Amino acid sequence: MKWMPTCKDATELASRAMDERLPLSSRMGLRLHLAICENCARFNLQLQEMRRLFRLETAADDDAPGLAPEARQRIASELQKKLGS
Amino acid sequence: MNTLDAHTWLTDHGDYLFRVARHQLHSDELAEDAVQETLLAALSAQARYTGDASPRTWLTGILKHKIVDLIRRNVREVEIPRDTEGEEAIDSLFQRDGHWAEPLRPWGNPQAEAELGQLRRVLDECADRLKPVMAQVFSLREVAGMETEEICKELDITPTNCWVLLHRARVFMRRCLELNGFSKAGAT
C-alpha cells in the first residue's frame, strides 16, 4: 500500500483539499508529505495565495476598464425600451 | 422606487458590474451582456427589492446568476479535453518517479499598490490563456467562490471532471504566474 503520496499525487491532493474535505487517509498522507517536502509545501501555499489574490482583486479592482460608451448606450436604450413597454 | 432608478443603476453601478463580470467571463462582449441582462432582470424584479441590501449588493447578487447562465449557455458541452495537452503539461513538471522536475521558487509578498496593479494584470493575462472551460470553472471557484458541488450542478459535469479541470487550471495558473514575474515581484 502506498502510504506516502509522490509530489505529483500530493499536488492533486493539495488542489482537491482547496475544494472539499479529504478522506482521512489522504489527509494524513498529504500532511506527512507537506511536512517533509519543501516544494509541495510551497505549491500548497501558492494555491492559497492565488485564491487570496483573485478574491481580493474582485473587490478592489477599480482601475480596470469599465463599460465602453457604446455598450453603455446600448444598455441604456434596452432599459428605455423595457420601461416604455 | 421609481422607474428612473434603472438608469441610475447603470450610471452608478454599470462599471462595477462590468468589471466583476469581465473578471469572471474573460470577455468584454459576454460581460456587457451580463450587465444588460442584470439590469433588465432588476427592472422586472424591482418590486421585490426591499432595500435591505444596498442597490449594488442586490444587483451583484442578480449578476452572479446571470454570469452562471451565460457560462452555461456558452459551454455547450463541458468535456474534459480528450487531448492530452493538459495532462502532458502537468507531466512535464514532474520526473517519472513523481518528484518535481525543478524546485519551486518562493513568491514575493507584494503590498504596494503599484505592485498589486502589476500582479492583477498578470493574473488576468494568465486567466485569459486558460482553455475556456477551465477558465470558467476556475473563475466560478476561485473568483466567485462558488462551492464545487454547485458548479458541477450548474454546468452538469461530474465532481471528478470538475476537480480534474480545477486541478489542471490551478497548476497552469501557478506556472503562468511564476513565469511572468510572480517569483520575483517583491521577493525578499
Side-chain angles (χ1 to χ4, degrees):
Chain A
M1 181 183 134
K2 224 166 51 164
W3 58 276
M4 173 75 135
T6 64
C7 293
K8 194 177 175 203
D9 296 338
T11 56
E12 289 179 13
L13 291 173
S15 178
R16 191 164 191 163
M18 301 282 289
D19 303 316
E20 62 184 43
R21 194 174 164 82
L22 296 175
L24 183 65
S25 61
S26 308
R27 205 158 65 231
M28 298 308 283
L30 175 63
R31 195 177 297 173
L32 196 63
H33 187 104
L34 293 183
I36 58 164
C37 176
E38 197 184 349
N39 281 327
C40 287
R42 195 162 274 164
F43 177 88
N44 189 41
L45 280 178
Q46 289 174 348
L47 288 192
Q48 289 169 28
E49 176 68 0
M50 207 153 67
R51 172 173 290 178
R52 195 183 68 82
L53 284 170
F54 266 106
R55 297 198 177 162
L56 184 78
E57 179 183 5
T58 319
D61 199 9
D62 276 341
D63 54 354
L67 270 175
E70 309 83 60
R72 185 180 291 273
Q73 189 53 48
R74 199 169 57 236
I75 295 170
S77 68
E78 286 299 320
L79 286 174
Q80 198 52 48
K81 238 189 277 174
K82 182 142 184 170
L83 284 168
S85 65
Chain B
M1 171 155 311
N2 61 57
T3 47
L4 282 176
D5 284 331
H7 287 290
T8 316
W9 297 335
L10 178 59
T11 312
D12 292 352
H13 311 297
D15 285 333
Y16 174 81
L17 296 172
F18 175 78
R19 285 186 194 113
V20 173
R22 173 69 184 73
H23 188 55
Q24 295 186 24
L25 291 162
H26 310 285
S27 148
D28 289 350
E29 205 179 312
L30 286 179
E32 288 165 5
D33 290 348
V35 175
Q36 175 168 322
E37 290 189 15
T38 297
L39 292 176
L40 288 174
L43 200 54
S44 308
Q46 62 176 316
R48 290 201 298 276
Y49 174 56
T50 57
D52 288 343
S54 72
R56 178 170 289 198
T57 306
W58 178 61
L59 291 170
T60 307
I62 300 175
L63 176 69
K64 285 194 177 150
H65 290 286
K66 294 297 168 193
I67 288 174
V68 173
D69 282 349
L70 278 166
I71 290 179
R72 213 169 14 192
R73 248 182 280 157
N74 276 276
V75 183
R76 295 206 179 282
E77 43 194 69
V78 182
E79 237 182 86
I80 306 278
R82 279 240 168 267
D83 66 275
T84 48
E85 199 182 317
E87 192 81 50
E88 275 167 13
I90 288 184
D91 282 346
S92 72
L93 297 172
F94 296 94
Q95 300 169 25
R96 209 165 293 165
D97 64 4
H99 280 91
W100 287 97
E102 281 176 40
L104 276 70
R105 281 168 293 175
W107 287 356
N109 183 22
Q111 299 294 343
E113 244 336 283
E115 279 178 303
L116 279 172
Q118 167 67 24
L119 290 190
R120 278 185 209 126
R121 271 190 293 282
V122 175
L123 281 174
D124 267 347
E125 278 166 29
C126 286
D128 284 351
R129 267 185 256 162
L130 280 172
K131 293 194 164 209
V133 176
M134 270 196 238
Q136 283 146 354
V137 176
F138 182 83
S139 286
L140 290 176
R141 178 72 190 121
E142 298 295 342
V143 186
M146 268 172 71
E147 295 299 326
T148 40
E149 207 180 313
E150 227 178 321
I151 299 173
C152 298
K153 217 169 68 190
E154 289 291 352
L155 299 180
D156 197 23
I157 56 182
T158 67
T160 308
N161 283 359
C162 194
W163 167 68
V164 169
L165 286 170
L166 275 172
H167 178 57
R168 286 187 188 173
R170 287 187 180 119
V171 171
F172 174 89
M173 285 297 295
R174 197 207 66 80
R175 182 76 178 142
C176 182
L177 299 180
E178 182 173 82
L179 292 175
N180 286 281
F182 260 50
S183 57
K184 280 177 287 171
T188 49

